[in-house]
Amino acid sequence: MIELLPTKTIQHFVPSEQTQRSLRDAFGRFATGVTVVTVGTDEGPIAITANSFASVSMEPPLVLWSPQKSSKRSQYFVTAEHFAIHVLAADQDDLCWRVAKDMHALSGLDLVENSEGVPLIDGCLARFECRQHAVHDGGDHDIIVGRVLRAAFVEEGDGLGFFKGKMNRIVTQ
Ligand SMILES: Cc1cc2nc3c(=O)[nH]c(=O)nc-3n(C[C@H](O)[C@H](O)[C@H](O)COP(=O)(O)O)c2cc1C
């Protein structure tokens, strides 16, 4: 038999300006990993922490993520022909917060660049070097679809998770 959740704890609402907190909380019940997306610019590396990453297609290999339109850094990503998405490991929470606070957080670090000039971060669980495939309107976000040109991953290591607005460690059983 399927057990129903106790109805007392369920919060029903219609999304509106008054219920934005509830919508954010409901979205936050979907556990995600955490990524850092990088682009190379005349000003040096620009980065953003993003949990909106999703794999999309195997053939062709496509992924997506969503920068908020009002973000100071979104234009760098919307206009970039190439970018890289780094899936963070559990011990990279410091990197996650530093990049979330400062788009120039990677400046001054000795980062390798790929052949398209995109800065690459080491020590991640997986990395997807992408060429922009499409940009779609997604309300107050843009949806950037990338074609994966090169990918890498490591076998070992726990993941950095984001759930109910908090970071946590994702482990395998
Ligand atoms: C765990 C986490 C996930 C985030 N995911 C996204 C995201 O998917 N898209 C986005 O635009 N910003 C996301 N952010 C916010 C940005 O990393 C960054 O804090 C924001 O762009 C700062 O605003 P600014 O660009 O105007 O300085 C996330 C932040 C955190 C901590």
Side-chain angles (χ1 to χ4, degrees):
M1 194 168 98
I2 298 168
E3 254 183 70
L4 293 174
L5 287 168
T7 45
K8 262 197 290 189
T9 69
I10 299 180
Q11 296 183 43
H12 296 272
F13 63 96
V14 174
S16 71
E17 251 181 62
Q18 285 69 44
T19 59
Q20 284 196 353
R21 179 72 253 171
S22 299
L23 185 60
R24 192 177 290 277
D25 287 348
F27 283 161
R29 265 54 181 174
F30 182 64
T32 67
V34 181
T35 71
V36 165
V37 187
T38 57
V39 289
T41 76
D42 296 345
E43 302 166 38
I46 299 283
I48 187 168
T49 298
N51 72 330
S52 51
F53 169 79
S55 55
V56 175
S57 162
M58 291 294 289
E59 189 48 55
L62 299 177
V63 294
L64 68 75
W65 75 284
S66 310
Q68 192 166 7
K69 287 177 182 171
S70 64
S71 156
K72 289 198 287 291
R73 46 191 114 175
S74 90
Q75 275 315 300
Y76 292 101
F77 296 97
V78 170
T79 56
E81 194 181 345
H82 293 96
F83 59 94
I85 300 179
H86 305 80
V87 178
L88 298 192
D91 60 1
Q92 291 180 307
D93 54 325
D94 183 51
L95 174 68
C96 155
W97 290 120
R98 275 193 290 132
V99 170
K101 285 190 198 119
D102 178 9
M103 64 175 146
H104 300 291
L106 303 180
S107 291
L109 299 182
D110 194 16
L111 296 180
V112 171
E113 287 185 1
N114 70 8
S115 48
E116 291 84 28
V118 180
L120 303 177
I121 304 168
D122 285 334
C124 303
L125 283 191
R127 184 166 70 203
F128 304 99
E129 294 171 52
C130 301
R131 183 175 64 229
Q132 191 183 98
H133 178 80
V135 179
H136 301 291
D137 179 52
D140 58 15
H141 283 61
D142 285 305
I143 300 166
I144 298 182
V145 181
R147 184 182 180 119
V148 181
L149 303 180
R150 292 176 289 274
F153 71 99
V154 292
E155 204 71 54
E156 302 293 320
D158 297 338
L160 186 61
F162 195 61
F163 180 56
K164 292 188 180 178
K166 293 201 172 73
M167 296 292 164
N168 48 66
R169 180 176 284 267
I170 305 177
V171 297
T172 48
Q173 293 291 339

